[in-house]
Amino acid sequence: MAADAAFPQPEALEALLSRCALHDQRAFAELYRYTSAKLFGVALRILRREDWAEEVLQESFVNIWNHAAAYAAAKSQPMTWMTSIVRNRSLDWLRRPRQEDTNVDYDLLVENVRDDSADPLEQLAQSAEASALARCMTLLDSQQRQSIALAFQHGLSHSELATHLRQPLGTIKTWIRRGLERLRSCLDGART
Amino acid sequence: MRYDQPQLRDKLAAEYVLGTMTGRVRARCQRLLRYNAALRRDVAAWEMRLAPLTDLTSAVNPPARVWRAITARIGNARKKTGYWSDVGVWRGLAAVSSAFVLVLATVLFSREPPAEEPVSTIAVLANDKSQPAMVVSLPAKTSAAQQHLKIKMLAQLELPAGKSFELWMLPGGAATPVSLGVIKADLTQTIQVTDAASRLLPKISGLAISVEPAGGSKTGLPSGPVILSGPWIKIL
């Protein structure tokens, strides 16, 4: 991916966030230039509507600007911190009380997901963390793996997963719960 | 459910990060997050575990209007509220103000009066929880040629191995911070101010401390986390 070649190291993003904490607008513009396409992609996948994703991206960057000083305390990678802001805003948007009732058609989405989750693990090898996660994902059953990937990347709720994977709600909840438990013990084992 | 049980808490954190909860459960979890530091830590740990899944999402360039809307909003926010009131670290203004008065009283009155020079300008630097951690003061009546700043730490700050603390002047507005140099981890110290910095000192709006590579930032701008900051207040 051409965009990734120019993607800056975490240290560079950290330095930009520090300058944002001191209200350096040039640093903020640079941060936006480096990260907005990736973060827009994250919002778009979850929200599936460009106008919503634009709204959420805007909210998220205003939030990043206002809370850049809190990043120092977050002790996470800058991209993880910013992605969490965007994912949380997207999910909040998607789970608004009115929004949950409107039935967006997921069938096309699920088709797409089946395609790109056929072998998503190969792409997951860019960092040590990523290859550890990729290895641990292979230990899951394929249903567990698919429901976790669908939920994380596309923001599907338990009941949406149940509808679109054509399984009872209880089964979905069990897949997810067991999958997360196995992931956790595998990842934490790898770290120690 | 009892969220002080580590396993239940971890399960809740995992489902929250994965995003499978309904809106109502999600909102309840967010209320818990505000008060429960252990749950916040578990959520951060899950965000870290699952973060690589984001690598699978392809980048899409947002339209230019998004950036225009963002700059309009942060520009307006600053005009309305001024420079310091919207800085994240400055949230607990009331707490800091009362602590500031206490610290000020201590600095000005409580130590051996003959030895203490009068202070003309002072900053109480607070951490991200708005707790005061350092007092920086400029003695009055020093000639412009040999100005020095007195630094007093209210508690020992932990300096990570291979790092230095660097003190910055914040000119305010869109201007970038200017270094006053690296400071030691000592509880009290005096640093000399260069002529150029002396001229800028009366005009700045605040001071900040960042954690930098040993010897100070290589870029001339803060490159590590900003751990303390506070407004620069003229009192004499």
Side-chain angles (χ1 to χ4, degrees):
Chain A
M1 271 183 281
D4 277 357
F7 204 75
Q9 295 297 304
E11 296 76 28
L13 293 179
E14 244 173 72
L16 290 175
L17 275 172
S18 290
R19 287 166 57 195
C20 289
L22 300 173
H23 280 199
D24 179 340
Q25 292 201 8
R26 261 181 304 175
F28 187 52
E30 212 173 320
L31 186 72
Y32 183 86
R33 209 170 54 236
Y34 284 138
T35 61
S36 56
K38 188 77 199 176
L39 295 175
F40 190 53
V42 169
L44 207 51
R45 264 236 172 147
I46 295 177
L47 293 165
R48 298 175 284 268
R49 269 183 56 171
E50 286 220 21
D51 53 342
W52 291 355
E54 285 179 27
E55 189 73 28
V56 161
L57 190 70
Q58 182 190 324
E59 289 291 329
S60 300
F61 268 94
V62 170
N63 198 291
I64 288 167
W65 170 255
N66 286 331
H67 295 99
Y71 169 70
K75 294 193 176 73
S76 57
Q77 296 271 323
M79 210 49 205
T80 305
W81 185 73
M82 288 190 283
T83 304
S84 298
I85 290 176
V86 172
R87 283 193 72 245
N88 279 329
R89 294 233 160 211
S90 303
L91 289 167
D92 287 345
W93 185 289
L94 213 55
R95 305 274 188 270
R96 288 171 302 169
R98 268 177 313 135
Q99 202 48 52
E100 273 180 320
D101 304 332
T102 68
N103 234 327
V104 182
D105 186 7
Y106 289 95
D107 285 344
L108 185 65
L109 159 78
V110 173
E111 284 313 307
N112 288 338
V113 171
R114 287 227 171 87
D115 282 345
D116 67 10
S117 61
D119 196 14
L121 303 176
E122 250 175 34
Q123 303 170 49
L124 258 189
Q126 295 172 359
S127 63
E129 291 82 19
S131 55
L133 183 67
R135 191 178 56 78
C136 291
M137 286 288 267
T138 60
L139 300 181
L140 307 187
D141 299 342
S142 63
Q143 302 107 320
Q144 293 173 351
R145 190 164 56 229
Q146 191 186 24
S147 32
I148 287 177
L150 272 172
F152 187 85
Q153 292 184 273
H154 296 270
L156 266 60
S157 68
H158 283 135
S159 52
E160 288 161 353
L161 284 167
T163 309
H164 298 286
L165 298 175
R166 296 186 179 85
Q167 295 289 332
L169 186 59
T171 307
I172 294 289
K173 287 187 172 174
T174 307
W175 285 352
I176 296 246
R177 182 168 46 79
R178 296 215 176 122
L180 287 171
E181 278 167 9
R182 280 168 94 167
L183 260 190
R184 194 204 144 120
S185 60
C186 173
L187 286 169
D188 292 3
R191 216 168 273 152
T192 48
Chain B
M1 267 213 260
R2 298 190 32 102
Y3 296 116
D4 48 353
Q5 289 177 15
Q7 281 177 342
L8 278 182
R9 210 178 51 217
D10 188 70
K11 223 171 266 178
L12 183 71
E15 297 271 0
Y16 177 74
V17 172
L18 192 60
T20 43
M21 294 169 171
T22 62
R24 206 181 315 153
V25 179
R26 196 172 157 77
R28 209 159 60 213
C29 186
Q30 285 167 338
R31 278 196 295 279
L32 272 171
L33 271 168
R34 249 175 265 155
Y35 303 108
N36 194 325
L39 183 60
R40 280 201 297 275
R41 276 196 301 277
D42 288 348
V43 164
W46 272 105
E47 283 173 350
M48 224 142 67
R49 287 187 192 106
L50 298 180
L53 284 176
T54 316
D55 296 352
L56 303 178
T57 305
S58 34
V60 181
N61 279 317
R65 60 176 169 266
V66 177
W67 176 244
R68 283 198 298 272
I70 293 167
T71 47
R73 283 183 58 185
I74 66 172
N76 287 342
R78 285 180 48 184
K79 266 177 225 126
K80 256 186 277 156
T81 59
Y83 181 73
W84 275 103
S85 49
D86 60 348
V87 173
V89 291
W90 205 233
R91 269 176 306 230
L93 189 62
V96 174
S97 308
S98 50
F100 176 79
V101 171
L102 272 178
V103 169
L104 194 58
T106 314
V107 169
L108 291 179
F109 306 116
S110 73
R111 282 181 288 154
E112 322 83 80
E116 201 59 42
E117 300 163 280
V119 163
S120 82
T121 317
I122 192 168
V124 178
L125 308 191
N127 62 19
D128 66 317
K129 294 180 191 66
S130 299
Q131 293 154 340
M134 182 184 287
V135 181
V136 181
S137 57
L138 178 69
K141 291 177 187 161
T142 49
S143 71
Q146 42 160 313
Q147 279 196 314
H148 58 275
L149 289 172
K150 302 194 110 185
I151 297 172
K152 183 176 162 58
M153 294 194 194
L154 303 175
Q156 186 69 60
L157 289 177
E158 209 175 308
L159 182 61
K163 301 282 182 182
S164 292
F165 293 130
E166 190 159 357
L167 181 62
W168 302 90
M169 295 189 278
L170 309 178
T176 53
V178 178
S179 177
L180 280 165
V182 165
I183 66 165
K184 290 177 288 212
D186 300 356
L187 284 179
T188 57
Q189 58 193 296
T190 301
I191 61 164
Q192 293 302 317
V193 180
T194 64
D195 290 349
S198 288
R199 282 192 292 277
L200 193 54
L201 257 184
K203 293 177 230 153
I204 62 171
S205 60
L207 293 175
I209 294 279
S210 68
V211 179
E212 300 293 339
S217 169
K218 307 282 182 274
T219 63
L221 287 171
S223 63
V226 173
I227 54 166
L228 305 175
S229 64
W232 184 232
I233 298 169
K234 194 155 178 56
I235 54 174
L236 271 185

